[in-house]
Amino acid sequence: MTTPYPPPPPPPAQVRDRTTLWGVLGIVLGLICCGILGIIFGYLSIRDARRYGQSPLLGYLAIAFGVINIIGGAILRATGNYPFWNND
């Protein structure tokens, strides 16, 4: 008497690859308003890119723009030329 084969394993769960989402959010926020959020989203993009075997370029750009935003904002504040900062 032969035993029947076990049932096949269930298909792997679909994962949501958010590499591009994190990278684009990081670039936009890093350029426009929040350098720190740009760095955070850039890190998330790099992490997901490594996990899913994609290019981490968007994450690196998001981190670079976030750092540039922070440094540029600090320079503008130090020179007194920050557009939305009143010294009155």
Side-chain angles (χ1 to χ4, degrees):
M1 186 160 173
T2 61
T3 59
Y5 291 109
Q14 290 185 343
V15 294
R16 299 190 70 172
D17 180 15
R18 294 189 172 125
T19 304
T20 305
L21 172 70
W22 297 137
V24 170
L25 277 174
I27 289 171
V28 169
L29 291 174
L31 281 174
I32 294 177
C33 67
C34 309
I36 293 174
L37 287 177
I39 292 171
I40 291 170
F41 285 129
Y43 167 76
L44 291 173
S45 177
I46 292 171
R47 183 195 67 182
D48 281 357
R50 287 182 182 157
R51 184 180 295 167
Y52 300 115
Q54 294 186 359
S55 172
L57 179 65
L58 290 176
Y60 291 136
L61 287 174
I63 289 174
F65 289 143
V67 169
I68 289 170
N69 185 329
I70 291 171
I71 292 172
I75 290 172
L76 288 175
R77 284 186 183 111
T79 59
N81 295 323
Y82 196 70
F84 303 111
W85 199 25
N86 294 331
N87 291 332
D88 297 335

